Amino acid sequence: MEIQVGVAKVGKYAVRDSGDSVEVVERPNGGLSVIIVDGQGHGKSAKRISHQIATKAASLISDGTRDGVVMRSISDFLYALRGGSVSATVTILTADLAANSLIISRNSNTPVVINHQDGSSCISSGVNPIGVHRINRPSVSQWPLYPDTTVIGFTDGVIHAGRGYNKKGFSLDYVTDLLAVETPEPQWLANLLLEHAIGLSQGRPEDDMAVAVLGIRDVDNLLGKRSISIRYPF
């Protein structure tokens, strides 16, 4: 099998710096984690906060720290850094080969959509953001690691896209309908969902937007070749 990751993001219209950060980190005992952080506000300050949190989480994961502990640690980190005056939402999507598990960790009110062998589902329960409360607990869910699984995480700019123009705005039914038809390539799906959200916003995103897709695919790769592709406009 093979783990595939696709990420697509865009900043708020006419604001150069995005407050959404996404990091992908290899786990020391096998697997990958995708860290999605939405910093409070917009622009340089939000970007600085989200980047600090994402890199802190990536460092802890690469040291072998479990995801639930990572979430608590970065909440303590932000609380200590800003005295409880700044918040951020965080979602971590993990394919853990050592535990043969798919793990979803959230301190966020944005949903995660999962297309699994057992059927599609949506984790949408609201969980407190990090950084505001001294004691903060994440939501952590776990599934077996099956092929043809797709997991999609968003920041709230995607979920709220189009609400000022369209009464329905972004619909999770659109996502589940896509997953019901086929098992798409993660980068294609991330690009498609971001473009859909931008279109709902009339081409002018009202908030920073990020989409991350983690897929488990039944692919023969006997040599274990790995690749990564990045596009960074400036």
Side-chain angles (χ1 to χ4, degrees), residues 28-169:
N29 295 314
L32 292 175
S33 289
V34 183
I35 305 156
I36 310 164
V37 183
D38 184 352
Q40 180 179 318
H42 307 286
K44 288 184 178 181
S45 61
K47 179 179 181 179
R48 188 181 302 113
I49 288 295
S50 69
H51 182 68
Q52 286 178 306
I53 294 165
T55 54
K56 182 74 170 179
S59 176
L60 289 166
I61 290 170
S62 65
D63 287 340
T65 307
R66 290 174 295 173
D67 289 11
V69 179
V70 170
M71 297 291 275
R72 289 175 172 85
S73 297
I74 58 176
S75 184
D76 290 344
F77 168 72
L78 181 57
Y79 186 89
L81 185 69
R82 301 304 293 268
S85 63
V86 174
S87 67
T89 61
V90 183
T91 299
I92 301 179
L93 315 177
T94 289
D96 186 344
L97 300 189
N100 197 34
S101 294
L102 175 69
I103 304 167
I104 312 299
S105 305
R106 298 169 60 246
N107 273 116
S108 173
N109 56 3
T110 53
V112 171
V113 176
I114 306 168
N115 188 40
H116 196 258
Q117 182 173 306
D118 296 335
S120 295
S121 60
C122 177
I123 306 175
S124 57
S125 58
V127 190
N128 288 332
I130 68 168
V132 177
H133 304 285
R134 183 65 185 85
I135 305 297
N136 203 7
R137 292 193 178 107
S139 166
V140 180
S141 307
Q142 188 168 332
W143 290 265
L145 203 59
Y146 291 143
D148 297 327
T149 297
T150 301
V151 187
I152 310 169
F154 314 87
T155 55
D156 62 0
V158 176
I159 298 300
H160 298 157
R163 289 191 177 180
Y165 304 96
N166 184 315
K167 290 183 180 180
K168 292 184 179 180

Side-chain angles (χ1 to χ4, degrees), residues 6-10 22 153 155 158 186-187 189-195 209-213:
V7 176
K9 53 179 286 192
V10 69
V22 182
T155 55
V158 176
Q187 188 60 60
L189 182 57
N191 290 340
L192 179 68
L193 293 175
L194 183 68
E195 289 301 323
M209 298 180 177
V211 182
V213 181

